[in-house]
Amino acid sequence: MRHLLSAGDLDRDEATLILDTAAELAQVGDRAVKKLPTLRGRTVVNLFYEDSTRTRTSFELAAKRLSADVINFSAKGSSVSKGESLKDTALTLQAMGADGVVIRHSASGAAHRLAGWVDGSVLNAGDGTHEHPTQALLDAFTMRSRLGRLEGLRVAVVGDILHSRVARSNVLLLTTLGAHVTLVAPPTLLPVSVGTWPCEVSYDLDEVLPKTDVVMMLRVQAERMRDSFFPSVREYSRNYGLDGERLERMPSDAIVMHPGPMVRGMEISAEVADSPRCTVTEQVANGVSLRMAVLYLLLGGS
Ligand code: CP
């Protein structure tokens, strides 16, 4: 594997290898000196054209824990504002010797385009509404750590599926790993193509929750919306928000996940977000180990 562009590119063995490697590398985080020499002399460029808190910082920390040199490039404040294209920006950074390029971009397909232009490995850190494969991998890692398995797990992904790269990558990866996914959303927030996805679809959260091991709540991505997709925030929350009362209807060992950023009071109540059954900060911590594993497996060879 040279690039990580789509969760759908991983077969079961490859995905399991990444999760197992992340479990090994997680131990580095418990040491006094949280560093391995594995990627010494290698250069990782973080190329971020869209805002990010979790993905950008965890890729940076992961690369540093593996002793790589790290260049953080943010489109804001760069020559992108002068009209420089993605290709010319990428070739400029490659000329500085990038072995790996982590890219986040608002255009679906940007990571695939980049992979055709640069010599190093490309890691998709979120391209438009298309994919976010390392998020799906860290989510699977978190489910496996908390619940001990992925095979047969019943996962509900709830909310703005239409604009969610997290939902698409999770459906592809979790299905490969033997879990059953149900997407729950109002019809207006489901993609037209959802019938071809390898999952179930429901419009009724209350009907799905009692038979769910994992509920993954998604933020409504207002920044990608030009139309109105539901009558009001209040109505959306009433039908598709997770509050303490709804959490009680789930099996007692079921967990609540969220990729972040959360909008408390909309898709998730503060009570649920702060509950020990909510794994949101665990997901962030696991994201560092998972991204270490991906960088190690892609860039660690000779
Ligand atoms: N989950 C996620 O991708 O968060 P950021 O946008 O903060 O990176």
Side-chain angles (χ1 to χ4, degrees), residues 16 100 132 163 167 170 245 289 297:
T16 304
H132 195 350
H163 300 102
N170 263 291
E245 206 178 304
S289 315
L297 291 168

Side-chain angles (χ1 to χ4, degrees), residues 48 51-56 104 125 132 135 165-166 219 258-261 291:
F48 276 69
D51 294 343
S52 168
T53 298
R54 283 145 286 268
T55 312
R56 190 173 57 76
R104 169 166 290 192
H132 195 350
Q135 179 69 44
R165 51 201 178 202
V166 174
R219 182 177 65 89
H258 197 305
R291 288 172 176 130

